[in-house]
Amino acid sequence: MKKETKKRLYRALSAAVGAALCLSFFVIPDKSFNINATSASIEQKKDKIKELEERNKQIENSIASLENDIDQSEKKQELYLQKLNAIQEQLDNYNNLLYYMEEDIAAKQANIEALNLQISAKEDDIAQKESKIERLNAENEENLERFGDILHAMYVTENADIFSVLAESADFYDLLVRTKMMINVSKQNDDMMQQLKESIENTEKIKKQLENDKTDLESSRLNVISEKEALENNKSELTVKQKEASQLSSEYSNAYSQYSQEINDIVNKQEELQKEKKANAAEIAAYQQQIDREIQLAQKDSNQVYQEGEWIWPLETQFTMITTYFGYDDWRGGNHSGIDISGGGIYGHPIYASKAGTVIIAKTTYIEGYSYGKYVVIDHGDGYSTLYGHCSDIYVSVGQQVEQGEAVAAVGSTGWSTGPHLHFEVRVNNIPQNPFDYVKKFW
């Protein structure tokens, strides 16, 4: 009887326990399940954010690369502009020289034409003088012939004396006339001879002077022609250089325009990338808002009760160097949502929970160069939470309860980090606060 009673009691107790377990399974809410579900949703959005951030990183790299391309194109453009200015200045000098050469050549040509006219005039004058000389020579020959006749007559009468003149004279008056005539004839002969001599000498002198003038003019003309030919040769050489300079100027101008177009294309590409980056940033912001809401929901689903008391420093006390404070940061060009704590040999040292709470995010996957890398978020209740970023290792999991001062991760340099450090945030209702408003400064 006792054994049967015990069996019945055992079966009743088992049934009661089973019913209680079934009832608890269907009635009691599973907070850890909700937290895990929320965490999964957050992780999906985080992954999407990382994807967008990675794309933006690629865009940033592309923009930076395009900046380098612009710099190179601008340098090349500046170089070609300098070359263009130099060759243009050279071309201007060539044009000026050609202008003055053409002016000089025109002046030389005018001088040649003037000398040709002078030479032609001298040739006409010489021809006239030669004609006059021929006429004078003819007159001289005639006078010489007449003078010869007179000499012959005088020679014939060379032996006649004054007595024959007297004998032939009819009277004294006739004698005087004959005597005077003989004297005049003799004087005329002397005068004629002198005039003949002077005429020939003057004519020869004039002819010689004209020939000298003509020779001088011809020499001047040849000199001017030589100078003109030299100028024309220089002009030909300069024209070749001018054409070469014009060709270079055209090439440099085309190169300058080409680089201008390249720069415009690059700038347009940058603008397109900036637009895409802005759109991605807007999408990231939207996802971040969703994450914030889901963290808030995760905090609401959490039963964590806020524990009054001080917040403790999240690292060992030898690590107190602040490399970046909370608030606006020039280097980032924006607000810094926490403080960065570093120090010599900090890598791998433990990170402690600043307050007791429930782990609502334990991110172990990340994209290099982005965001917090590996990080932990702990809900402390009443809307308070802390974030520990750039960890090298994560010691906790989502839904895990942690005590104040418990090691939750190790210091690293994952994500967007330039060296080993802890990025530490304190949030109230998911809004970043200055950690020094909560954590006691003990140094």
Side-chain angles (χ1 to χ4, degrees):
M1 185 66 181
K2 289 182 180 179
K3 289 183 179 179
E4 186 67 19
T5 301
K6 286 182 180 179
K7 287 181 180 179
R8 290 176 181 175
L9 288 173
Y10 180 76
R11 283 196 295 269
L13 181 60
S14 298
V17 171
L21 287 173
C22 290
L23 182 63
S24 66
F25 180 80
F26 288 105
V27 175
I28 299 172
D30 188 349
K31 298 294 185 180
S32 64
F33 174 81
N34 290 338
I35 291 173
N36 288 334
T38 301
S39 178
S41 177
I42 288 173
E43 289 303 315
Q44 289 175 357
K45 290 180 173 58
K46 286 283 187 182
D47 290 340
K48 181 60 177 177
I49 286 176
K50 295 306 178 185
E51 180 183 340
L52 291 170
E53 286 179 341
E54 184 175 11
R55 174 55 187 155
N56 274 4
K57 184 67 173 179
Q58 294 171 355
I59 290 172
E60 283 289 351
N61 292 336
S62 297
I63 291 173
S65 176
L66 291 174
E67 284 289 348
N68 292 332
D69 291 344
I70 287 177
D71 289 341
Q72 291 299 319
S73 294
E74 286 179 343
K75 287 177 182 177
K76 289 178 182 178
Q77 187 186 41
E78 179 62 25
L79 179 61
Y80 275 100
L81 181 60
Q82 292 175 5
K83 288 183 177 181
L84 183 61
N85 290 335
I87 202 67
Q88 189 59 48
E89 184 177 357
Q90 187 178 356
L91 189 59
D92 291 341
N93 289 331
Y94 287 158
N95 291 335
N96 288 337
L97 282 174
L98 283 172
Y99 173 79
Y100 289 118
M101 278 187 175
E102 288 171 354
E103 290 285 316
D104 204 1
I105 288 170
K108 297 291 184 187
Q109 184 60 41
N111 195 5
I112 290 170
E113 292 173 359
L115 287 171
N116 285 336
L117 290 175
Q118 292 180 37
I119 290 170
S120 179
K122 288 294 181 182
E123 288 174 345
D124 291 342
D125 200 6
I126 289 171
Q128 291 176 4
K129 296 301 181 183
E130 287 176 344
S131 177
K132 182 178 179 181
I133 288 170
E134 289 177 359
R135 189 176 66 254
L136 288 173
N137 284 336
E139 291 177 356
N140 288 340
E141 288 178 1
E142 184 180 351
N143 289 333
L144 283 172
E145 187 176 349
R146 288 172 57 196
F147 185 65
D149 291 341
I150 293 172
L151 289 177
H152 180 72
M154 290 180 67
Y155 176 78
V156 172
T157 59
E158 182 179 6
N159 294 325
D161 54 17
I162 189 61
F163 294 104
S164 58
V165 174
L166 290 172
E168 293 178 3
S169 298
D171 52 27
F172 183 75
Y173 177 76
D174 186 38
L175 176 63
L176 290 176
V177 171
R178 287 176 177 270
T179 302
K180 186 175 181 180
M181 183 182 67
M182 290 180 65
I183 294 170
N184 288 337
V185 168
S186 178
K187 187 174 184 301
Q188 287 176 359
N189 288 338
D190 289 342
D191 292 342
M192 185 179 68
M193 288 296 292
Q194 185 63 33
Q195 290 175 359
L196 180 61
K197 180 181 178 182
E198 290 177 356
S199 175
I200 292 173
E201 289 177 351
N202 288 335
T203 301
E204 290 294 334
K205 186 177 180 180
I206 292 170
K207 180 181 178 183
K208 186 175 181 181
Q209 182 62 46
L210 287 172
E211 288 176 347
N212 288 337
D213 291 345
K214 179 183 176 182
T215 300
D216 291 341
L217 287 171
E218 185 64 27
S219 177
S220 297
R221 188 177 75 90
L222 292 175
N223 286 337
V224 174
I225 289 173
S226 178
E227 291 174 1
K228 180 187 174 185
E229 289 176 351
L231 282 171
E232 287 176 340
N233 289 335
N234 290 338
K235 179 185 174 183
S236 297
E237 293 175 0
L238 196 60
T239 300
V240 171
K241 291 182 179 179
Q242 182 196 36
K243 289 180 180 178
E244 292 174 352
S246 296
Q247 180 64 28
L248 283 175
S249 178
S250 178
E251 291 175 4
Y252 292 154
S253 180
N254 290 338
Y256 181 84
S257 299
Q258 176 186 345
Y259 284 115
S260 295
Q261 185 59 46
E262 284 184 6
I263 290 171
N264 288 335
D265 292 343
I266 292 170
V267 169
N268 291 336
K269 181 62 176 177
Q270 278 186 317
E271 290 176 354
E272 291 175 4
L273 289 173
Q274 289 288 4
K275 289 178 181 178
E276 183 180 353
K277 179 184 173 184
K278 187 176 180 180
N280 289 343
E283 192 171 355
I284 288 171
Y287 276 114
Q288 187 62 53
Q289 289 176 357
Q290 291 180 25
I291 290 171
D292 291 343
R293 284 194 297 271
E294 291 181 4
I295 290 176
Q296 289 176 344
L297 289 174
Q299 286 181 302
K300 287 180 180 179
D301 289 337
S302 172
N303 287 327
Q304 182 63 44
V305 177
Y306 180 76
Q307 295 182 6
E308 297 291 342
E310 293 183 348
W311 299 57
I312 68 169
W313 189 246
L315 292 168
E316 297 164 275
T317 55
Q318 71 263 35
F319 300 118
T320 58
M321 183 174 68
I322 308 301
T323 55
T324 307
Y325 283 86
F326 177 83
Y328 185 80
D329 180 41
D330 289 332
W331 182 72
R332 287 174 174 79
N335 288 321
H336 188 231
S337 57
I339 58 173
D340 289 344
I341 310 167
S342 187
I346 194 173
Y347 187 89
H349 277 261
I351 299 169
Y352 305 113
S354 185
K355 256 191 178 301
T358 302
V359 176
I360 58 175
I361 294 177
K363 182 69 172 176
T364 58
T365 60
Y366 67 97
I367 298 173
E368 189 65 42
Y370 286 92
S371 192
Y372 301 121
K374 293 182 180 181
Y375 68 98
V376 173
V377 177
I378 301 174
D379 174 41
H380 305 292
D382 288 350
Y384 291 95
S385 63
T386 51
L387 183 148
Y388 309 83
H390 308 300
C391 305
S392 61
D393 196 7
I394 303 296
Y395 301 153
V396 294
S397 58
V398 173
Q400 181 178 336
Q401 296 289 324
V402 294
E403 297 298 325
Q404 185 179 46
E406 183 178 342
V408 296
V411 176
S413 185
T414 55
W416 184 23
S417 172
T418 57
H421 72 284
L422 168 64
H423 175 82
F424 176 58
E425 294 184 13
V426 174
R427 298 188 176 203
V428 177
N429 296 323
N430 212 33
I431 298 173
Q433 307 292 317
N434 187 347
F436 286 123
D437 291 341
Y438 299 88
V439 178
K440 181 179 179 182
K441 296 181 181 179
F442 54 85
W443 66 90

